[in-house]
Amino acid sequence: MVKHVAPLFSLLFLAGCGGKEEAPPAPPPPQVGFVTVRQEPVTLTTELPGRTSAYETSEVRPQVNGLVTARLFQEGDFVRAGQPLYRIDPAPYQAQVASARAAVARARAAIASSKALARRYGELVKINAISRQDFENATTSAQQAEADVAAQQAALRTAQIDLARTTIRAPIAGRIGRSVFTTGALVSAAQTNPLTTIQRIDPMYVDIQQSSADLLKLRQQIMAGSLSRGSGAARVQLKLEDGSTYATEGTLKFADVTVDPATGTQSIRAIFGNPRGLLLPGMFVRAELIQGTQANAMLVPQRAVTRDEKGQPTVLVVGQGNKVEGRTLTAPRTIGANWLVTAGLKPGDKVIVEGAQNLRPGTPVNPVVFSEKPAPQGQAAPGQPAQGQPAQGQPAQAQPAQAQPAQAQPDNGQAK
């Protein structure tokens, strides 16, 4: 019995030694994509709200009293300067012109008689036929008659002006609005309501409101030399109410010299061409203004920046020995898809933008230059596993070892 147990124990021992599995190898460092920080000139812009307003606006009002007998335009049409718009009953003013002409004729008749009398008295005073006083009175009467003619001519001119004002004309060229008064309405020169309004909408003004604090900061940066303004600083781009960009660039005209005490803003005016009439007065728009150029700016992709528990922006960089390091940034604003970084990084730093999930400072990584181009089919992007391959940083699953039968060794002491 003992002789049969010994070979069986040997077989079990050999089978256990042959089936032992080896420990899996350590996973390679995870692959990450990085961009290298560099300094470059960046144009800084700001987007501010604004309202469109007409280049010229004229409220058409009557300058004489009377009944409106005709409206001579179509509402919404383009009118030229001097075009007739309304006609007021001219009969009373035609009568005034006729009366003024008669007064002028009467004054001219009087001046002929006065001048003749003064001339005769001049001859008589030389021979002392009349007194000196009579001659001077005749001369004064002749001069008064001449002045009376001038006064009557001025009255005639006034009557003619009033008669001409019975035809109300457009003071400017532009698009005319609706008519508030209709034919048959009684109008007066003292009324406050306009008959209609004409607006010139090509070109158009855009009035922009900017915070005085932001404007002060911008001026200080320009004075300190951190920002420079080139020839393009006067250009303005416009975004319409539907989010589309207006095709024509505008130009800054002026900035108001006072700050609104109620809102703390300063008004800036830009001018835009409007040949197709797309812009209308009163539209809400957003204007993109060029603030200046920062010569040595550092930009970091937004996808690389996260926030810590204090809300401060942070990034992960590839440090010495290809180990991950954390950095806290000062990033006051975004520019497109990037953050403008003013502190926390230096030129040459390698900022991780791809494959940073679950990484901690001190973790070794395999850095590669990040590219926006899509990876070829079957090839993994940085930090992503290829199809059919285990993800970086994950241990490979052990394959079950195939059992090998243990070969029995002959026992010299085995009984026959």
Side-chain angles (χ1 to χ4, degrees), residues 24 65 89 110 137 141 155 247 272 321 394:
N65 305 330
D89 184 12
N137 291 340
S141 297
F272 288 81
Q394 300 294 333

Side-chain angles (χ1 to χ4, degrees), residues 274-286:
N274 190 30
R276 295 186 299 170
L278 186 61
L279 299 179
L280 298 176
M283 291 177 61
F284 175 79
V285 294
R286 298 193 68 85

Side-chain angles (χ1 to χ4, degrees), residues 316-317 321-326 359-365:
L316 296 177
V317 300
N322 288 341
K323 292 185 177 181
V324 176
E325 297 179 1
L359 291 182
R360 296 290 183 268
T363 304
V365 293

Side-chain angles (χ1 to χ4, degrees), residues 305-308 310-315 327-332 339 343:
V305 180
T306 59
R307 298 279 176 175
D308 59 14
K310 297 181 180 179
Q312 296 177 336
T314 61
V315 294
R327 300 284 178 84
T328 301
L329 308 180
T330 301
W339 280 100

Side-chain angles (χ1 to χ4, degrees), residues 332-343:
R333 61 181 296 171
T334 59
I335 299 178
N338 301 310
W339 280 100
L340 176 64
V341 177
T342 57

Side-chain angles (χ1 to χ4, degrees), residues 135 196 384 393:
F135 170 71
T196 187
Q384 299 294 334

